[in-house]
Amino acid sequence: MYEQIAKNRAASVITIIGFIIFIGFVGYAVGLILDYNYAVSGAYSITLLIFALAIACIASFFSYYYSDRIVISLTKARAITLDEDPRLYYMVEGLSIAAGLPMPKTYVIEEQGMNAFATGRNPKNSAVVFTRGLIDNLNDEELKGVISHELSHIKNYDILLGTVIVIFVGMLSIISNIIFRVFLFGGGSRRRSSSKGSGGGIFTIVILLIGVVLIIFSPIIGAVIRFAISRRREYLADSNGALISRYPAGLASALRKISSGSGVSTANSATAHLFIANPFTKKTRPLFGSLFNTHPPVEERIKRLEKMSLGVGM
């Protein structure tokens, strides 16, 4: 457990540092090309490098401290109180005590698809989110299994890495579009028209093609990043969650029900990996979504939980 927490913290730090370096590299590369186009020695490259690093640092700061609020806002979740839903509130409170965690803030998404996720930067600043369909369609043991799964993500610090990734994957898509627009509308360069002739034109065409490739493949790159961090952590959260609830059959039964309808309309490609099950339907699934599914097969998850239960409740 402690080893996994340490790994997640280290992975979060590495991800943030890597993001800053990547954004700085992109800014510098764009500046070099603008220097080439406009025959300016280092003016654009140094300026854009400094600008990109500043943006990356600001984005990293906000992703650490405010990404959970951004995720909750994106999914249109709202906070619930004890008076509004005492059943859910007391379950979250009791299982948090059992897990040795402070009680996270509890939110609900008013949708009939059955799903849930946890977000935040640490156990003291965390939140659990459930859809209305999940709350209404699961019995107490099944709901406890799902809550325990999400609390496990909080205890393991999966929430920090997963929530930071939401911001960075979103920015990856934005950056690819910015690069494309820079080269598309900045193609009429003084340098190309004056001294480089057809060579400069070929160079710009190559860069435009790179921009197009970035736009096409940025969703795949983002999916690969999420794929790399999600699957093993879902298995671990299943097993640790079963230990918190002390009833693996409850989560197994919940996963069976969830698999029949887990779609959430407010989910997107940046937030999908946070959910306990794939939040996309056939209509909302993004391009190449099935190739890089961030969630392990439900059948395999159920099979592992059945082994833990030793037949009890199955």
Side-chain angles (χ1 to χ4, degrees):
M1 173 72 71
Y2 294 107
E3 181 181 355
Q4 183 62 40
I5 292 173
K7 286 181 179 179
N8 283 342
R9 284 176 166 171
S12 300
V13 172
I14 292 171
T15 299
I16 292 173
I17 293 174
F19 174 76
I20 293 173
I21 293 173
F22 173 75
I23 298 302
F25 170 79
V26 170
Y28 185 68
V30 172
L32 283 178
I33 295 165
L34 292 176
D35 286 344
Y36 174 87
N37 276 352
Y38 293 99
V40 179
S41 179
Y44 285 108
S45 57
I46 300 302
T47 300
L48 287 180
L49 172 62
I50 296 172
F51 179 75
L53 288 175
I55 291 297
C57 290
I58 292 171
S60 298
F61 173 83
F62 275 93
S63 69
Y64 182 80
Y65 285 102
Y66 300 107
S67 53
D68 55 335
R69 300 180 191 179
I70 295 172
V71 170
I72 289 171
S73 177
L74 286 173
T75 55
K76 299 181 180 179
R78 63 177 183 84
I80 62 169
T81 63
L82 170 61
D83 293 335
E84 183 179 357
D85 197 331
R87 172 179 175 246
L88 178 64
Y89 188 94
Y90 281 129
M91 283 186 186
V92 174
E93 183 181 49
L95 289 168
S96 297
I97 294 172
L101 295 170
M103 182 178 174
K105 296 177 182 177
T106 307
Y107 293 81
V108 63
I109 301 173
E110 296 294 346
E111 292 202 21
Q112 289 308 305
M114 294 177 285
N115 227 314
F117 68 88
T119 184
R121 65 179 184 270
N122 55 43
K124 292 182 180 179
N125 299 274
S126 61
V128 285
V129 183
F130 308 93
T131 62
R132 179 60 61 189
L134 185 89
I135 298 169
D136 291 344
N137 289 296
L138 300 189
N139 62 37
D140 286 359
E141 295 303 328
E142 293 166 344
L143 188 54
K144 287 179 182 178
V146 172
I147 294 170
S148 297
H149 172 98
E150 300 307 333
L151 292 177
S152 178
H153 277 311
I154 294 173
K155 193 168 187 176
N156 294 344
Y157 278 75
D158 292 336
I159 53 171
L160 173 59
L161 182 58
T163 308
V164 165
I165 290 295
V166 171
I167 305 301
F168 292 169
V169 168
M171 287 201 67
L172 178 63
S173 178
I174 294 172
I175 289 166
S176 64
N177 279 277
I178 290 175
I179 292 173
F180 178 71
R181 291 175 186 275
V182 165
F183 296 127
L184 181 63
F185 298 109
S189 67
R190 302 168 192 167
R191 172 94 173 193
R192 184 185 62 205
S193 60
S194 60
S195 60
K196 286 293 180 181
S198 61
I202 293 173
F203 181 80
T204 303
I205 290 172
V206 171
I207 296 302
L208 282 171
L209 290 175
I210 292 173
V212 172
V213 169
L214 277 173
I215 287 178
I216 293 174
F217 287 98
S218 61
I220 299 178
I221 295 170
V224 170
I225 293 172
R226 297 191 304 274
F227 176 83
I229 70 169
S230 295
R231 286 200 166 196
R232 186 169 58 86
R233 286 175 172 80
E234 286 302 310
Y235 285 131
L236 184 62
D238 284 345
S239 59
N240 287 346
L243 293 176
I244 293 172
S245 67
R246 300 187 180 184
Y247 192 62
L251 179 55
S253 179
L255 288 174
R256 288 192 186 93
K257 288 186 178 180
I258 290 170
S259 64
S260 67
S262 59
V264 179
S265 65
T266 55
N268 56 50
S269 59
T271 60
H273 65 282
L274 296 175
F275 287 85
I276 191 173
N278 191 341
F280 295 127
T281 63
K282 291 182 179 180
K283 293 182 179 180
T284 61
R285 183 180 299 142
L287 185 64
F288 303 115
S290 60
L291 296 179
F292 300 102
N293 194 342
T294 57
H295 296 78
V298 172
E299 296 79 9
E300 179 61 27
R301 295 171 69 179
I302 292 173
K303 187 184 300 183
R304 295 186 182 204
L305 288 166
E306 286 176 342
K307 288 182 179 179
M308 290 185 65
S309 70
L310 300 176
V312 177
M314 304 305 294

